[in-house]
Amino acid sequence: AQRVTQPEKLLSVFKGAPVELKCNYSYSGSPELFWYVQYSRQRLQLLLRHISRESIKGFTADLNKGETSFHLKKPFAQEEDSAMYYCALSSPGGYQKVTFGTGTKLQVIP
Amino acid sequence: DTAVSQTPKYLVTQMGNDKSIKCEQNLGHDTMYWYKQDSKKFLKIMFSYNNKELIINETVPNRFSPKSPDKAHLNLHINSLELGDSAVYFCASSQSLGLSLHFGNGTRLTVT
């Protein structure tokens, strides 16, 4: 079974401080990992996916297969980063399902 | 143009009623989903359709019945609504199963 764990329900940081949102996963094969963001009263939207290896809005995430982690990082938090962040996993091939973590609310304090 | 649109945005109804939520995507995607987001912001998949065929059906009560008249539409009908059904329901689509999802704005269902 595939599982995604986001240990922090709420993460509060000051503006300008570094941000790390933790995500650990459980899957026996080679999954595809995503980060989705939901700003207040808006739809969820894809932030980034590990295969793209890109930086979006200053955020990056590296897949660490040894630690089965896909933490989301940003060196300097901005107020507009305040939102709910969901880590998600998709199993490649065949009967696929996207499993979401429970989400972490990021609160950037001005 | 909105890529994934769902209606209504808000739905307030009484227990025991039957209601439907509609979803349409104009992205040409093959796969559509329904997710439920509860009051604690947990996001859980309910159904997935690929080319009008039901692929994923999580442990959802029989009162929930999805219907996909064509690839671009996936509607959700709920019978005999209960208080616990109150949540935000998100429709989503993807080009194929398991790829990145495009979400609708959500429908906030309140059962009184």
Side-chain angles (χ1 to χ4, degrees):
Chain A
Q2 56 194 58
R3 194 188 316 177
V4 178
T5 304
Q6 293 179 250
E8 301 141 329
K9 278 189 179 179
L10 172 67
L11 180 65
S12 296
V13 301
F14 285 101
K15 179 183 171 182
V19 175
E20 183 179 48
L21 297 165
K22 291 185 167 46
C23 172
N24 288 89
Y25 66 90
S26 172
Y27 182 71
S28 55
S30 296
E32 188 166 350
L33 277 297
F34 308 83
W35 275 100
Y36 285 82
V37 59
Q38 185 180 26
Y39 299 103
S40 180
R41 298 274 176 161
Q42 292 187 26
R43 70 180 73 198
L44 278 101
Q45 52 189 289
L46 179 68
L47 182 62
L48 53 79
R49 53 196 296 194
H50 88 271
I51 62 170
S52 302
R53 303 185 69 82
E54 56 192 346
S55 173
I56 305 291
K57 299 184 180 183
F59 285 97
T60 58
D62 290 319
L63 179 60
N64 186 323
K65 290 187 178 180
E67 295 181 0
T68 59
S69 68
F70 188 56
H71 303 326
L72 184 68
K73 299 177 184 178
K74 185 170 182 176
F76 308 104
Q78 298 172 307
E79 288 180 65
E80 54 265 33
D81 295 329
S82 295
M84 278 291 292
Y85 290 81
Y86 292 92
C87 183
L89 176 153
S90 169
S91 52
Y95 182 75
Q96 299 170 0
K97 183 169 75 170
V98 179
T99 300
F100 283 82
T102 49
T104 298
K105 183 175 180 178
L106 175 64
Q107 186 179 57
V108 180
I109 305 163
Chain B
D1 279 347
T2 304
V4 181
S5 59
Q6 51 184 112
T7 55
K9 193 172 180 181
Y10 299 97
L11 186 52
V12 181
T13 188
Q14 291 184 327
M15 281 175 58
N17 285 347
D18 303 338
K19 290 293 177 187
S20 292
I21 307 172
K22 294 185 176 181
C23 179
E24 176 183 1
Q25 54 96 2
N26 62 6
L27 295 165
H29 286 168
D30 289 336
T31 310
M32 295 185 72
Y33 310 79
W34 277 108
Y35 279 86
K36 179 180 180 181
Q37 186 180 47
D38 63 22
S39 57
K40 294 182 180 179
K41 301 291 188 181
F42 293 163
L43 197 62
K44 193 169 180 186
I45 190 168
M46 300 173 68
F47 301 103
S48 168
Y49 270 73
N50 187 48
N51 279 318
K52 295 177 17 177
E53 182 185 347
L54 180 64
I55 299 298
I56 295 171
N57 182 352
E58 292 294 288
T59 49
V60 178
N62 290 338
R63 300 182 294 104
F64 289 80
S65 53
K67 284 192 171 51
S68 182
D70 56 57
K71 222 170 66 165
H73 296 84
L74 180 61
N75 304 323
L76 183 65
H77 189 76
I78 315 169
N79 289 326
S80 303
L81 278 156
E82 299 177 359
L83 292 176
D85 297 333
S86 296
V88 180
Y89 292 84
F90 284 98
C91 177
S93 72
S94 65
Q95 199 161 1
S96 182
L97 281 167
L99 295 184
S100 53
L101 303 175
H102 295 253
F103 283 87
N105 275 326
T107 295
R108 185 172 293 274
L109 171 64
T110 303
V111 183
T112 61

